Amino acid sequence: DEYKLKYAENNEVLITNLNTIKDIISDKLLNYLFYKNIVKLTSENINVHSNMAINHSKAFIRYLEKNLNKDNSVDILSDSKILCNSLINNPVISDKLFDIVIDYTDKKIKKINTDLSRSRINILLKRKLITVNIDNIELLMNHSYFKEIGILIHSDSQDIEDKIITQLIKKELSNDLIYELINSDISDENVDFKNCHENKTIKVDEWDRIAQGIFVPYAKKYGVTVDV
C-alpha cells in the first residue's frame, strides 16, 4: 500500500475506470485518488467508491463538490440513489451538493443526523424525506424545533399520524414532552400544568405554533379539553 500510495502521489494521469484497479487498491488509496482529483467523474466510478467505502470521506465529498453540478448530475447520480440517500443526511456536505443530491433521493431518513441544520431539515420535510417516528420527533424536540414536529407528524398517513400522537401522549403527557410542547412559547400563567396533569385540561390564552400545530387538533380526540 505504501508503494502504491507513493506511485499515486506522483501520478497525474486521469483514471477513467476504477473497476480495473478496485481489486488491488485499499480504501485509503481510493480516497487519496479522489483527494488528488485524478478520477474521472462517472456513475461507474462513483459506484465503485460506494461499494468499497464504509463511510464517505471528506476527500470524496470535496471531489463531488468540485466536479458535480446540475448539468452532469443526471448522468452521474441517476444510478447512485444509495449514495444520495446517505449524503442528504450528512451535515458536512455543502449546500450546493445537498441541493443536487436531494433530487435523486428516493428513501426517507429513518434517523436524522443530530448535526443536520434546521434549514436542511425543513427542506427535507417539504420533500417528505423524513420518516415519522419517535426517534426523529425526539431529536426535533431536543433541538426545540417545535414547528417542524408538527409538520413531520402531519406529513404521513392518518394511521401513522394517530399512532405517533398516541405514543407521544401515552409516553409523556403527564411528564415532559407535552408539557414542553405546550410551554415552548407560552408563559406559565397561560398554561395550567396542574390541570393538564390531574384533570386533563389545558388552558391556553395564546395560540402559539405548538398548540396550533400539534396538540389542539388532537385534544378532543384523546380526551383533553382545551379552554381558550
Side-chain angles (χ1 to χ4, degrees):
D1 242 21
E2 189 175 335
Y3 170 77
K4 294 174 184 176
L5 188 60
K6 187 175 181 179
Y7 176 80
E9 289 175 354
N10 297 316
N11 179 48
E12 299 298 333
V13 178
L14 187 68
I15 299 172
T16 59
N17 188 355
L18 283 175
N19 277 307
T20 60
I21 60 173
K22 66 179 182 180
D23 294 330
I24 61 173
I25 61 174
S26 64
D27 182 61
K28 180 180 179 181
L29 182 55
L30 178 65
N31 283 321
Y32 184 75
L33 297 177
F34 284 114
Y35 169 78
K36 281 201 69 178
N37 197 23
I38 56 174
V39 178
K40 185 177 180 180
L41 182 65
T42 66
S43 60
E44 291 80 9
N45 287 339
I46 294 301
N47 287 330
V48 167
H49 173 273
S50 297
N51 293 331
M52 287 184 62
I54 298 175
N55 298 306
H56 307 305
S57 66
K58 290 182 179 180
F60 177 68
I61 290 174
R62 290 195 187 101
Y63 167 84
L64 291 178
E65 291 173 344
K66 185 173 184 177
N67 295 285
L68 198 63
N69 55 58
K70 288 284 187 180
D71 293 330
N72 63 24
S73 62
V74 176
D75 293 333
I76 305 301
L77 298 179
S78 293
D79 295 323
S80 303
K81 295 188 183 299
I82 293 177
L83 169 67
C84 297
N85 291 338
S86 174
L87 287 176
I88 60 165
N89 198 29
N90 189 328
V92 175
I93 70 172
S94 66
D95 290 338
K96 172 196 168 186
L97 184 56
F98 179 83
D99 290 341
I100 293 174
V101 298
I102 195 172
D103 289 335
Y104 302 93
T105 301
D106 65 353
K107 189 175 181 181
K108 292 184 178 183
I109 296 172
K110 292 183 178 180
K111 189 172 184 179
I112 304 171
N113 188 303
T114 186
D115 294 322
L116 205 62
S117 70
R118 188 172 193 172
S119 61
R120 289 189 183 180
I121 288 174
N122 272 288
I123 293 171
L124 292 166
L125 285 171
K126 289 178 182 178
R127 298 283 194 105
K128 294 187 176 182
L129 287 173
I130 297 179
T131 300
V132 183
N133 58 41
I134 291 295
D135 286 342
N136 284 336
I137 289 173
E138 288 184 345
L139 182 140
L140 296 176
M141 186 67 227
N142 291 336
H143 284 78
S144 298
Y145 294 167
F146 301 117
K147 179 181 177 182
E148 287 77 2
I149 295 174
I151 296 172
L152 179 59
I153 290 175
H154 298 314
S155 70
D156 214 311
S157 67
Q158 189 65 47
D159 288 343
I160 296 296
E161 195 172 284
D162 289 347
K163 180 180 178 182
I164 293 297
I165 291 295
T166 302
Q167 287 179 308
L168 284 176
I169 290 178
K170 286 181 178 179
K171 182 179 180 181
E172 299 287 355
L173 180 60
S174 60
N175 296 300
D176 298 329
L177 185 55
I178 294 299
Y179 288 172
E180 289 185 33
L181 290 175
I182 298 301
N183 196 39
S184 60
D185 289 322
I186 300 176
S187 59
D188 287 345
E189 61 266 28
N190 291 326
V191 179
D192 190 339
F193 288 138
K194 182 177 180 182
N195 283 340
C196 175
H197 178 70
E198 296 179 358
N199 303 323
K200 298 194 79 176
T201 298
I202 296 175
K203 188 173 182 180
V204 181
D205 292 331
E206 298 177 15
W207 292 96
D208 76 336
R209 55 186 179 177
I210 309 310
Q212 292 176 345
I214 299 175
F215 191 77
V216 173
Y218 297 91
K220 292 181 180 179
K221 184 171 184 178
Y222 294 100
V224 178
T225 301
V226 179
D227 294 333
V228 181

